[in-house]
Amino acid sequence: MWYAIISEDSENSLAQRLAARPAHLQRLQELKDDGRLFVAGPHPAIDSLEPGEAGFTGSLVIAEFPSLTQAQQWADADPYVAAGVYRQVTVKPFKKVLP
């Protein structure tokens, strides 16, 4: 089943985000290589693809896992969690309807 992992950044966490980004992207690449990644990306803090110092307010990952428990475990092990980038992470089942 698909699961949406909706993360909200801590205030002033851009430096931590940039430092942990390679490890974060490596885990996403593994999901992609396994054919389990639907979409992933950050939410810019301003209306720009490159927000610069404004940074980001969070991220969205939609990926396939065998269960909600396993999706939550994967989200809990994210390098952004360990680095203090995320202040809150919510994992919900996701039903793809369109396209």
Side-chain angles (χ1 to χ4, degrees):
M1 181 167 190
W2 295 108
Y3 294 90
I5 302 169
I6 306 151
S7 306
E8 297 179 35
D9 282 15
S10 301
E11 293 288 323
N12 301 313
S13 60
L14 182 58
Q16 294 95 315
R17 177 183 271 272
L18 294 175
R21 188 169 189 260
H24 172 78
L25 291 178
Q26 179 181 352
R27 295 178 80 234
L28 292 171
Q29 185 64 49
E30 290 169 6
L31 285 178
K32 181 182 176 204
D33 292 347
D34 289 345
R36 298 172 41 210
L37 183 64
F38 179 65
V39 68
H43 302 286
I46 60 173
D47 190 13
S48 173
L49 292 176
E50 298 297 333
E53 292 182 13
F56 301 90
T57 62
S59 301
L60 171 66
V61 173
I62 300 177
E64 189 174 31
F65 293 92
S67 68
L68 177 61
T69 299
Q70 288 177 316
Q72 185 68 59
Q73 289 171 343
W74 186 90
D76 290 344
D78 194 300
Y80 283 175
V81 171
V85 174
Y86 293 153
R87 69 174 182 86
Q88 181 176 341
V89 177
T90 304
V91 180
K92 298 180 178 186
F94 178 79
K95 180 181 175 183
K96 181 179 182 266
V97 175
L98 293 172

